Amino acid sequence: RKLIEFGKSRGHLRDVDSDIMSYAIWCFIRGYNADALGRKLPRETAIRNFRYSFGILLDGMRVTTACRPAAGQVLSVRVADPDGQGDMVPTPGPLDIVYEDGDLLVLNKAPGVLIHPGPGHYSDTLCNYIAWYYKKAGIAADVHPVQRLDKGTSGLLVVAKHPHAQEQLKGQLHTPAFRRIYLAVCEGIPRPPEGCIDAPIGRVPGSLMARQVDPAGQPASTRYRVLRTGQGRALVELELDTGRTHQIRVHMAHIGHPLTGDFLYGTEDHSLISRPALHSARLSLRHPVTGEPMAWEQPLPEDMQAVLDDISPRLVEALAVDGQTYFFPNSWNSIVLYYNTKMFADAGLEAPPAD
């Protein structure tokens, strides 16, 4: 159970069981019927589950939405999806579980795996594998991916176990509470080495898959930072401010630096990598029930690391002074754009020699 106490501590939750959320009825809300109290839950939780059979209990006894709890009683609402996994086909498949509790699952997704079932892929997706894992482990949970990763993208992905957790996490998306940081290898070296790509994205006419920068499209913003360069490529760190389909891939291609191996927006080259070189490396959020800050990291997978082996091992230099971060390319030939001798002197450092 999840216990929510309304009153001065409204919104405080503590774990008691699995898929029941309980409300301790305070004096000032006595007299409300169960249906009105249910409106205090996220809309999806209330509407989908509140009238479910045995979805409402008062002091452990089944009641209808017309009941009016008294002060001191406990109203419990089921937060599990009444339909469970619906028509999801449980299928055995590989899962790399990074973290799990009663409300969410964090996975390290392998490249080449779809997340959701769809035409031609009804039983070989990550959701199918999760459903199988729940079934074999006897876990009463649903499968609700919170964010999307393309088939070719690897890395961290969070999956809610019930609609209430899903709604809470969806509310965090595109806010500072929910951060997604990616690593990518791109063709060429972006200039400047740090910036923000703010360009709307829309569909390519006549294509079911492809997207493009389109003034009439949806707003999209991606921040990037070059970490490493060499052999005409760069390792780039990217953070999403929005979540459009193919956003990183479209934006990097838009500035002339498509991801290495991107068959749709760049050049496919299986001798280097068989997918777009994109990895969900860091993920942070607030727990959907406790509100606790949580964070995870995953290193680059082998195929992307192999691409990096051809890139100079020297990282782009970075120095933080007075709250500002300064970045310097591997070649000091363009140092005039970034180099400030006084900055080093003020920091008590010796300036590096030019090439």
Side-chain angles (χ1 to χ4, degrees):
R1 297 186 178 193
K2 320 294 180 199
L3 180 64
I4 301 181
E5 297 180 346
F6 286 98
K8 293 182 180 179
S9 59
R10 176 184 175 185
H12 175 69
L13 303 95
R14 62 179 184 270
D15 288 337
V16 185
D17 204 326
S18 59
D19 62 352
I20 300 291
M21 188 164 286
S22 299
Y23 295 71
I25 305 301
W26 288 56
C27 291
F28 77 91
I29 59 171
R30 70 180 185 272
Y32 280 84
N33 64 28
D35 186 67
L37 293 174
R39 303 300 172 185
K40 298 181 182 295
L41 283 169
R43 179 176 175 82
E44 286 298 308
T45 302
I47 291 178
R48 293 168 66 178
N49 301 316
F50 205 59
R51 292 182 172 84
Y52 180 55
S53 178
F54 294 101
I56 315 171
L57 303 176
L58 185 64
D59 290 339
M61 300 296 292
R62 183 183 177 186
V63 295
T64 69
T65 57
C67 81
R68 295 180 182 273
Q73 291 187 296
V74 175
L75 182 70
S76 303
V77 180
R78 184 178 300 277
V79 294
D81 195 328
D83 297 325
Q85 295 164 6
D87 57 359
M88 182 79 65
V89 180
T91 307
L95 286 180
D96 184 358
I97 299 175
V98 177
Y99 174 84
E100 180 178 11
D101 64 23
D103 303 292
L104 57 85
L105 190 67
V106 177
L107 303 171
N108 180 28
K109 176 187 171 298
V113 179
L114 288 169
I115 294 178
H116 298 278
H121 295 277
Y122 293 105
S123 61
D124 59 351
T125 70
L126 201 65
C127 285
N128 299 113
Y129 303 159
I130 294 170
W132 175 267
Y133 164 67
Y134 288 164
K135 179 180 178 181
K136 297 299 289 185
I139 298 173
D142 314 322
V143 185
H144 299 284
V146 175
Q147 90 249 44
R148 297 172 298 185
L149 293 180
D150 293 342
K151 178 181 179 181
T153 303
S154 58
L156 292 165
L157 171 77
V158 61
V159 179
K161 287 188 171 182
H162 51 75
H164 177 73
Q166 182 188 32
E167 290 302 305
Q168 293 295 319
L169 291 170
K170 282 172 61 178
Q172 295 179 28
L173 282 172
H174 317 310
T175 74
F178 196 112
R179 297 187 65 191
R180 298 163 289 166
I181 298 177
Y182 295 79
L183 292 176
V185 179
C186 70
E187 297 297 307
I189 302 173
R191 293 283 188 261
E194 182 177 19
C196 180
I197 307 168
D198 192 359
I201 293 176
R203 291 180 177 273
V204 172
S207 174
L208 295 176
M209 181 185 300
R211 301 294 192 272
Q212 64 182 359
V213 168
D214 181 352
Q218 295 178 302
S221 177
T222 305
R223 284 172 282 153
Y224 73 89
R225 180 166 64 109
V226 175
L227 299 179
R228 185 170 170 178
T229 64
Q231 305 299 317
R233 295 189 180 89
L235 173 66
V236 184
E237 178 186 88
L238 305 111
E239 183 167 6
L240 298 173
D241 292 328
T242 53
R244 308 306 175 201
T245 300
H246 298 175
Q247 179 172 317
I248 288 175
R249 297 164 63 188
V250 171
H251 273 174
M252 292 304 292
H254 176 65
I255 64 172
H257 301 287
L259 302 191
T260 299
D262 195 335
F263 68 95
L264 192 58
Y265 304 105
T267 301
E268 189 173 25
D269 187 349
H270 286 271
S271 67
L272 287 172
I273 190 170
S274 61
R275 65 179 178 104
L278 182 61
H279 177 68
S280 175
R282 297 201 292 279
L283 173 67
S284 62
L285 51 82
R286 288 192 174 275
H287 192 278
V289 173
T290 68
E292 176 188 1
M294 310 183 80
W296 302 270
E297 293 189 16
Q298 279 295 309
L300 288 174
E302 292 182 1
D303 59 350
M304 284 186 64
Q305 190 60 55
V307 175
L308 288 185
D309 288 343
D310 291 331
I311 294 181
S312 167
R314 181 180 178 186
L315 294 178
V316 171
E317 303 292 340
L319 176 66
V321 177
D322 294 332
Q324 297 294 317
T325 303
Y326 298 83
F327 299 93
F328 305 94
N330 288 338
S331 170
W332 293 95
N333 292 332
S334 55
I335 202 72
V336 67
L337 296 176
Y338 311 101
Y339 179 62
N340 185 322
T341 302
K342 185 177 183 299
M343 179 189 70
F344 280 90
D346 290 346
L349 300 174
E350 180 181 352
D355 286 347

